[in-house]
Amino acid sequence: MVFLQVKLFYKTQRELAVSLNGIVDAYWNDELNEDTLIKSVQDVYINNPNKMLKEGEFTTVLKQQCGKRRLEVIERIIKSGIDSRS
């Protein structure tokens, strides 16, 4: 089991993207279970919503750094988190 260091607050969108990439990649490499993936992404989103989304879309930096496949996973987690809270 690899321990992934995830900050709750990020200074730049680039740092945020690197962290999100690490979270999703660790899950894809079977280093994280699904619950940890979901909790990590939701925690990062809750504390950095303005660095992740602008007008309902992922920011340009995130799109460039993370790529479509990772952002699809992240988007589903964010949307499921919003749905479960409302």
Side-chain angles (χ1 to χ4, degrees), residues 1-4 6 20 22-42 73 77:
M1 175 79 185
V2 174
F3 182 71
L4 195 64
V6 178
L20 289 170
I23 294 167
V24 176
D25 289 351
Y27 171 72
W28 282 340
N29 294 330
D30 294 322
E31 295 163 6
L32 285 183
N33 65 29
E34 202 166 289
D35 292 337
T36 307
L37 166 75
I38 291 168
K39 175 147 181 32
S40 298
V41 171
Q42 286 177 340
V73 172
I77 292 170

Side-chain angles (χ1 to χ4, degrees), residues 7-24:
K7 289 194 228 172
L8 288 183
F9 301 97
Y10 290 89
K11 192 164 43 173
T12 66
Q13 290 178 354
R14 197 166 301 274
E15 274 183 14
L16 180 65
V18 168
S19 177
L20 289 170
N21 286 350
I23 294 167
V24 176

